[in-house]
Amino acid sequence: MTEHEHDNHIVNHFLESDNELPIYVIYQQLKGYPNEIDNMRLICLHCKSDHNQRVAMEYLYAVGLLEELHDVIAKNRTSIHKKNRTAALAYQLMYDRKNLSNKQVKPKMIRQSIKEINRIEAEADDDIFPILKDLLHIYCYFDMHQYGKLVYIMIVLR
């Protein structure tokens, strides 16, 4: 089986299956192959499980596929699962930040982002949102050049 056939088999199996494998399992199978990112993009855009949709946002953000991230955020904003809606709000703020040039970033906008992220209430068993919240705080304080607050966050997080 060629590399391309291997990729296609994995992607087709995922897309046609009624029981989705976790995205991290698919990633391990596609990792290192020439079309890894394109295939993972397809997987992320077509996954159905609530957990996979949250992981899809993480993957798309991490590899810089912002257009696709925007699509998955939109899908998750209307999810019946609160964890997905909460993650979508956090990734929307991260997406918005990535789409602004340094000249467009204004302190008022950054303070508004901090207020928005602090307003979001996560479920008690949501172990990912606190990490996203901390990451957004770090981004915001860095953008405002408030490095003392960054140091405080780093000390509190340890």
Side-chain angles (χ1 to χ4, degrees):
M1 183 180 292
T2 68
E3 287 182 347
H4 186 66
E5 290 171 333
H6 175 265
D7 292 2
N8 286 341
H9 175 72
I10 292 169
V11 173
N12 289 337
H13 184 267
F14 181 88
L15 296 175
E16 294 168 1
S17 177
D18 290 331
N19 296 324
E20 284 184 356
L21 287 173
I23 285 181
Y24 69 86
V25 172
I26 301 298
Y27 173 72
Q28 290 299 320
Q29 294 173 348
L30 294 173
K31 188 176 174 181
Y33 283 92
N35 296 324
E36 171 190 328
I37 292 179
D38 286 337
N39 288 323
M40 284 301 297
R41 181 185 64 75
L42 277 173
I43 297 290
C44 289
L45 289 171
H46 293 96
C47 63
K48 296 175 191 88
S49 81
D50 58 312
H51 183 264
N52 274 348
Q53 288 184 20
R54 289 191 306 273
V55 174
M57 288 187 288
E58 179 180 343
Y59 177 83
L60 295 169
Y61 179 79
V63 298
L65 295 173
L66 297 181
E67 192 172 310
E68 291 83 353
L69 173 62
H70 189 263
D71 294 343
V72 177
I73 289 170
K75 187 187 322 184
N76 281 288
R77 287 192 114 162
T78 60
S79 173
I80 61 171
H81 303 284
K82 184 176 181 177
K83 285 182 186 178
N84 289 51
R85 292 190 311 271
T86 301
L89 292 172
Y91 278 105
Q92 181 66 55
L93 291 170
M94 294 166 73
Y95 170 86
D96 292 344
R97 180 185 176 273
K98 280 275 195 187
N99 279 320
L100 292 177
S101 71
N102 287 340
K103 293 177 183 177
Q104 292 175 303
V105 176
K106 306 279 189 252
K108 183 179 179 179
M109 294 166 58
I110 298 169
R111 285 191 293 277
Q112 183 62 34
S113 291
I114 292 172
K115 285 180 185 177
E116 286 181 45
I117 198 68
N118 287 339
R119 235 181 297 175
I120 300 171
E121 292 184 26
E123 292 182 354
D125 67 338
D126 191 344
D127 51 349
I128 298 300
F129 180 72
I131 296 168
L132 293 174
K133 185 175 182 177
D134 289 340
L135 188 58
L136 277 161
H137 279 114
I138 290 167
Y139 285 158
C140 289
Y141 292 131
F142 183 82
D143 288 344
M144 291 190 302
H145 308 288
Q146 293 186 2
Y147 305 116
K149 290 189 180 185
L150 287 173
V151 171
Y152 175 77
I153 288 173
M154 297 306 285
I155 291 170
V156 171
L157 292 179
R158 290 186 177 198

